[in-house]
Amino acid sequence: MSVLSAAPLLYGHADRLPLPRAFLAGLQHLLAVFGGIVTAPLIMAVGMGLPAAETRAILAASLFVSGVATAIQVAGRYGIGSGLLAIQGTSFTFIGPVLFAFHGLPEAMPARERLAVIFGCCAVAAVLTGLLALGIRRLQRLLTPTVTGTTVLLIGLTLVLSTLENLCRTSTAPGAPTATLALLTVSVFALTLWLATRLSPWCRLCSVLGGLAGGALLAAALGLFGEGAAAAGGLYLPRLLPYGFGFDVGVFLLLFPVFLVSATESVGDLTATASLSGLPTRGTGYWQRVRGGILGDALNSLLAALAGTFPNTTFSQNNGVIRLTGIASRRIGFVVAALLVALGLLPAVAAQLQALPEAVLYGSTLLLFLMVARAGWGLLAGGAIGRRGWCIAAGAAAGGWLLAAVTGRAGLEGPAALFLQFPVSNGAFLAMALELLVPRRALAAGLT
């Protein structure tokens, strides 16, 4: 029996709960995932330098789509969705590639046209991921711990470097209160780290939300909290393709490997959720759930692109809540979905998030991005990849950075240059190629 499923369940996967208990359990799941759901799209919108109105629209769409996506994932109808208590949101692994793609497009292109290209490429990548999900067991043979670990490690490192650059830019801008911003950033980082390292599981689960809330309070006390929440009224109404539809081969090649890695991470999340729910993690039924979950991720990412927000994937935070509460009923997912949709319909929620100073966001996400890099290293170290795997990982990572540096100095232009200048996509494809080309039976050569 899995360690994850050792604790007895108060409510099983198919059990019904009284409405008050269902609402309370759903609220606990919402608190655990809310910070993660809103931080990734907020960081991308801020990193793109979008106007306040566009940022609010993307945040509102993100919350709304996360609710719809969660309902689809939990329902598990017609082979789409896992049927598990799995909450959906935008993964942090998409931040680096999306921002690089946005800024890599021609500067003369208006921001709305760049968003059209990014969301168009996300839609195509989501459809292709859904098709590949039909053979998920074969896909697992290519997306080994070596490949996924290398890719996630590169994503984390690039995000950390980018965040440090943004912190320096924000703090040293003309007229910026450097000392105050530094204090705010360090305080948010320290609070998030303190919460994440407490013995209390609830502190760890809500560390992101707690760090953002503490940062918002400190920013308000320092007079740095932005305005705009009062101007937001009425209801947010989702629109189909609010930025239009575009496509760029280079952007697609940047984003598609991240969709594959995200799908692999979802397999692990769904396996943990099934184990915690007392369901089998082997056999035909298990693989049907996994395939349905990945198809659900693909459909939900397509819906997100059509609504003008970023890709959706399965979150892992809710697994900790299941273990703590002993409640694995998938019906809780519908409560969380309804709460997310309701929050997305209220522009004031997005406006409050948009008003957060950049120093608060960077202080929180710097720790998160370090954890992303640590997760990539953990995939490599815990995957029993052997010396062969470590050689592939080192070669792919170094080759990805080197190829990006050479391409940048060569002054290439066009889709190929955009793709080759990003070390993450380079490293991901190199790792996949080496995984296929380097012989596995290399014991005699001492490579395993």
Side-chain angles (χ1 to χ4, degrees):
M1 178 181 293
S2 170
V3 175
L4 288 173
S5 59
L9 291 174
L10 298 176
Y11 292 93
H13 168 257
D15 291 346
R16 293 178 178 270
L17 282 76
L19 185 58
R21 293 187 184 183
F23 179 81
L24 181 59
L27 187 60
Q28 292 176 91
H29 278 278
L30 179 67
L31 291 174
V33 302
F34 183 79
I37 287 176
V38 300
T39 303
L42 181 57
I43 282 292
M44 284 187 264
V46 170
M48 293 174 181
L50 299 179
E54 299 290 352
T55 300
R56 287 197 295 268
I58 287 177
L59 286 172
S62 179
L63 287 167
F64 181 87
V65 171
S66 290
V68 174
T70 297
I72 292 173
Q73 186 67 255
V74 172
R77 299 289 181 86
Y78 310 110
I80 299 177
S82 63
L84 298 169
L85 177 50
I87 313 302
Q88 297 281 119
T90 300
S91 171
F92 285 92
T93 55
F94 285 100
I95 296 177
V98 166
L99 288 178
F100 189 89
F102 181 86
H103 292 293
L105 290 168
E107 293 184 5
M109 183 182 292
R112 291 182 65 87
E113 292 185 16
R114 296 194 215 181
L115 288 173
V117 170
I118 287 174
F119 292 138
C121 291
C122 284
V124 175
V127 171
L128 187 53
T129 302
L131 294 175
L132 292 175
L134 298 175
I136 185 65
R137 299 182 76 165
R138 293 187 179 90
L139 189 62
Q140 283 283 93
R141 297 172 185 173
L142 174 63
L143 298 175
T144 62
T146 301
V147 174
T148 56
T150 302
T151 305
V152 174
L153 177 61
L154 285 172
I155 289 173
L157 292 176
T158 55
L159 286 173
V160 169
L161 293 175
S162 176
T163 301
L164 292 175
E165 291 176 359
N166 289 330
L167 278 170
C168 292
R169 172 184 54 79
T170 302
S171 301
T172 58
T178 302
T180 304
L181 291 176
L183 172 64
L184 184 58
T185 301
V186 172
S187 299
V188 173
F189 182 91
L191 176 59
T192 307
L193 179 62
W194 183 81
L195 290 172
T197 54
R198 294 305 88 198
L199 293 177
S200 168
W202 287 115
C203 286
R204 297 197 298 271
L205 286 171
C206 297
S207 58
V208 178
L209 181 61
L212 291 175
L217 292 174
L218 181 57
L222 295 172
L224 298 176
F225 202 90
E227 299 179 357
L235 292 176
Y236 160 77
L237 298 177
R239 293 186 296 146
L240 179 64
L241 295 174
Y243 305 100
F245 186 91
F247 187 80
D248 182 273
V249 175
V251 172
F252 172 79
L253 291 175
L254 280 175
L255 297 178
F256 185 58
V258 188
F259 274 82
L260 296 180
V261 170
S262 178
T264 303
E265 292 177 340
S266 291
V267 172
D269 292 338
L270 294 169
T271 301
T273 306
S275 178
L276 285 164
S277 302
L279 299 173
T281 55
R282 292 183 180 181
T284 303
Y286 162 72
W287 281 108
Q288 286 177 344
R289 287 191 183 280
V290 169
R291 183 176 65 179
I294 304 303
L295 285 171
D297 280 3
L299 174 60
N300 294 331
S301 293
L302 174 61
L303 293 176
L306 296 178
T309 191
F310 303 108
N312 262 247
T313 186
T314 303
F315 270 30
S316 59
Q317 289 95 323
N318 61 293
N319 288 329
V321 183
I322 292 173
R323 175 157 188 158
L324 284 170
T325 62
I327 300 175
S329 173
R330 70 189 183 100
R331 300 177 190 277
I332 301 300
F334 294 114
V335 176
V336 180
L339 292 172
L340 287 170
V341 168
L343 290 173
L345 290 174
L346 299 174
V349 175
Q352 291 284 2
L353 295 169
Q354 183 267 332
L356 284 172
E358 291 185 27
V360 173
L361 297 177
Y362 295 141
S364 175
T365 55
L366 181 59
L367 177 60
L368 294 174
F369 297 156
L370 287 169
M371 293 172 65
V372 170
R374 174 64 181 85
W377 181 265
L379 286 171
L380 293 171
I385 60 177
R387 294 176 65 183
R388 171 185 176 275
W390 282 108
C391 287
I392 291 174
W401 282 104
L402 181 61
L403 186 58
V406 171
T407 304
R409 290 182 176 274
L412 298 179
E413 297 181 357
L418 178 61
F419 164 65
L420 293 173
Q421 289 182 40
F422 191 49
V424 174
S425 53
N426 293 340
F429 280 114
L430 281 173
M432 292 180 196
L434 292 173
E435 188 68 59
L436 294 175
L437 295 175
V438 176
R440 294 180 180 275
R441 299 178 63 183
L443 290 171
L447 295 178
T448 58

